[in-house]
Amino acid sequence: MLEKRLVPHGRRAGAPLGRVAWLRAVAISFAIGGVMVGGIAATAVASGATAAPPGSTAAPSAPATTTTTSTAPASDDVPPPGTVATTTTTTTTTTTTTTVPPAPPAPAPPVATPVSAPAPAPAPPPPAPTVPALPARGEATAYGCAAALAYLTAYSAPGFTFECPGYALGHEAMTCINEPGACPGESLIAIADPCAHAYMNEASNSWVLTGQSSAPIDPYGAC
């Protein structure tokens, strides 16, 4: 609560002289005093310079210094005693996220190509029957169709075909020339039992039946 005070020099009683107004008055007083001191010093220097006699060398005088003192008024924004100034600092945090690409999938294992087993080699053909060396006419001794066919091919009359084994109408062998029911339209030597005497006889008979030999029929006898 403000209280009334007596104001000297005829001031009207009212609001008291504040601290700010007092400080301003003091500052103005100091300023006026400084200006007056500066003016007096300047006048003294000027008078000394005028009083120097002619022809004399005046000593260099120090430059005049004018000092002005000003007192800045106190700010009305001074925080009252006991007040703590608070400073707020805002920290900005920047977060960077790095996305690692997924690893590529592992390559698929190579697919094994089935390898088929090689086909078995074909069985070798059976060996050809051994053909004995061709004997002289009338001297064969080997048994079998191979020996019989070789002998007949070498020693029979031309124009005959051979069958071994063949049908000989119940005989060991036969020589047939265009016989109805047996060898129609052909000349045939059939060997039912390929012994040496049988095929040697038919070779000889083929010459006799074609009229090219006068030898007896079956000259080598029976098997």
Side-chain angles (χ1 to χ4, degrees):
M1 176 181 295
L2 297 178
E3 59 182 12
K4 294 183 179 181
R5 295 182 181 178
L6 295 177
V7 179
H9 303 290
R11 289 184 178 271
R12 185 176 58 85
L17 181 63
R19 182 179 181 183
V20 173
W22 181 81
L23 291 176
R24 289 178 181 175
V26 172
I28 292 172
S29 299
F30 276 104
I32 293 174
V35 172
M36 294 176 66
V37 172
I40 294 172
T43 303
V45 171
S47 298
T50 304
S56 63
T57 301
S61 60
T65 301
T66 301
T67 303
T68 302
T69 303
S70 299
T71 302
S75 174
D76 295 338
D77 297 332
V78 176
T83 302
V84 179
T86 304
T87 303
T88 303
T89 303
T90 303
T91 303
T92 302
T93 303
T94 303
T95 304
T96 302
T97 303
T98 303
T99 303
V100 179
V111 179
T113 303
V115 178
S116 57
T130 303
V131 178
L134 184 65
R137 185 188 298 268
E139 297 181 0
T141 57
Y143 182 89
C145 285
L149 294 175
Y151 188 92
L152 292 174
T153 300
Y155 299 115
S156 294
F160 282 85
T161 57
F162 314 114
E163 289 183 358
C164 183
Y167 179 63
L169 301 178
H171 303 284
E172 294 175 355
M174 72 173 186
T175 300
C176 178
I177 300 176
N178 194 19
E179 186 68 31
C183 57
E186 65 174 339
S187 298
L188 174 66
I189 296 176
I191 306 298
D193 183 4
C195 68
H197 289 82
Y199 58 77
M200 287 193 297
N201 284 335
E202 302 308 324
S204 177
N205 293 340
S206 65
W207 295 96
V208 173
L209 295 179
T210 57
Q212 303 179 60
S213 175
S214 57
I217 300 296
D218 296 337
Y220 301 104
C223 292

